[in-house]
Amino acid sequence: KLKKATTELIILSLLEKENLHIGALTEKIEEYSEGEFKIVFPYAAIYRLINAGYIYECGKKIEDGRRRQFLSITDKGVQYLRRIRKQYDSYIKGVDCIFEKLK
């Protein structure tokens, strides 16, 4: 459940840096997490973010001989990302405080 809760945060964070296609998103997530975080079926999260107006399909490009649909974050998505990142940081800080006291 924790993975599902952070998936949107991670996708939006990556798209804030650059426009990516779904395959590149999943590759970067696995690479940046050193293989600890994998999204096997990212489409549900992508469609939720599109339907909420946080990301959009920004065009198709040929890459590696394949036509790929690229995604980009919207201004609304950037605002949402800022809000959930702040909540995430606060939550992690609280959890870290608890674990520190339990040592």
Side-chain angles (χ1 to χ4, degrees):
K1 292 181 182 184
L2 182 60
K3 180 178 173 181
K4 184 178 179 182
T6 56
T7 298
E8 289 182 3
L9 173 65
I10 292 168
I11 289 171
L12 290 171
S13 296
L14 287 168
L15 291 176
E16 184 181 35
K17 299 295 178 199
E18 63 181 313
N19 297 340
L20 297 165
H21 58 83
I22 291 176
L25 270 171
T26 57
E27 289 170 8
K28 284 186 182 280
I29 289 168
E30 188 171 346
E31 175 191 343
Y32 291 175
S33 71
E34 299 177 356
E36 294 296 324
F37 195 100
K38 297 176 187 176
I39 300 176
V40 178
F41 189 76
Y43 298 97
I46 296 296
Y47 294 139
R48 276 195 312 272
L49 292 167
I50 289 172
N51 289 335
Y54 299 142
I55 64 174
Y56 68 100
E57 295 175 337
C58 63
K60 295 179 181 176
K61 297 180 189 173
I62 303 293
E63 187 178 275
D64 300 327
R66 297 176 67 187
R67 190 173 188 187
R68 304 209 184 247
Q69 178 65 57
F70 280 71
L71 302 166
S72 183
I73 192 169
T74 64
D75 290 338
K76 183 178 176 182
V78 171
Q79 292 171 3
Y80 177 65
L81 173 59
R82 299 277 185 269
R83 190 170 67 247
I84 62 173
R85 179 60 196 249
K86 188 175 179 179
Q87 291 170 347
Y88 171 82
D89 289 343
S90 177
Y91 175 79
I92 292 301
K93 181 180 176 185
V95 170
D96 285 345
C97 287
I98 292 167
F99 288 156
E100 187 63 34
K101 288 180 178 27
L102 293 172
K103 285 185 178 181

